[in-house]
Amino acid sequence: MGRWVALSAAADPQAAWTKSPAEQRFFNSTGLGMTVAFLLAYALSGAVFGYLPVFVLEGFAMLQGTAAWVGSAGTIALALGWATHLVQRHWSGASPATCTTFRYICYIAVATCVCLVALAELAGGPLSRLRWNGLSPASEWLFAPLPWVWRELAPLGSDKVTGKLFFAGGAALALAFFFLKAVERPRVFIFFLGAAACIAGFYFLGDAALDYSAARGLPGASADYARELKTNPGRYNAWNFLSWLGALACLAYGVLMISMSLVIQTADARAMVVRS
């Protein structure tokens, strides 16, 4: 059967991860595991709401119906492909050949889904005319625990607070690059980079709380939000969930980087920054 271990015999002995110190391997695998979880949540939102926001050169675009489902399938394939790294690294009964083959299959599936979405959205065709609805466009369970804490988080979206967050985030980024280039303190650089990510997370928390509450009767909010949610709940919830997921991701990565800066050795941090 096998079990989860700190370092599996199946791990690639030539990989940089395998040659890294134990603390660095832990943080790297934790970050990869979080990334897989966020990708799966993002893919699930496309299937639930029937809409999937994607980033393109001009900004975010919205995939709808069948294109959203195909995009979700591609995202799941990408998440599974990256998850095989965790299995190969930490599952004592893992097979390197099986993990590598499955990973290649996942990447081929990702490329196929990207091509199908591009054909549907850019070139038209039968796929572009199919409009599968989401499983439950008006549902709120994917937002948990936002429905119960939005009143506490809404002040983060006020103009007064967001101005302070922008200032604090800019200061944290400036300090991060100062300690990267001028003073060359890699651990301090990682700390302030994590702090900037956490500040971005607080901003997105306020944005998500305001968007959620504005469409559900927040006093003083424009009726347009409630009207949009009622007219097209899948599209509204998809945009709202993007802010919510972005907030959770920024906070998680920020806490991870701050924790890393306090644990790993200076030489290891310097080597990691150089590789990045």
Side-chain angles (χ1 to χ4, degrees), residues 79-145:
L80 294 178
W82 286 354
T84 59
H85 288 290
L86 294 174
V87 174
Q88 186 172 346
R89 293 172 181 178
H90 300 292
W91 186 250
S92 61
S95 167
T98 301
C99 289
T100 301
T101 301
F102 184 77
R103 187 155 53 242
Y104 288 156
I105 292 173
C106 289
Y107 292 159
I108 292 172
V110 172
T112 302
C113 290
V114 170
C115 291
L116 289 174
V117 170
L119 288 173
E121 294 298 306
L122 300 178
L127 184 61
S128 66
R129 291 190 289 271
L130 293 175
R131 291 301 179 200
W132 295 349
N133 295 323
L135 297 175
S136 183
S139 63
E140 300 181 4
W141 60 270
L142 203 55
F143 288 96

Side-chain angles (χ1 to χ4, degrees), residues 32-63:
L32 181 57
M34 292 192 307
T35 301
V36 169
F38 289 132
L39 284 175
L40 292 175
Y42 170 74
L44 181 60
S45 72
V48 170
F49 301 132
Y51 288 84
L52 190 69
V54 295
F55 185 78
V56 293
L57 294 178
E58 294 80 9
F60 278 97
M62 183 68 78
L63 300 181

Side-chain angles (χ1 to χ4, degrees), residues 4 14 18 59 61 79-80 82 103 117 134 172 178 183 194 196 217 219 221 227 238 261 271:
W4 288 102
Q14 303 301 320
T18 309
L80 294 178
W82 286 354
R103 187 155 53 242
V117 170
F178 173 78
V183 185
R227 189 179 303 112
S261 70

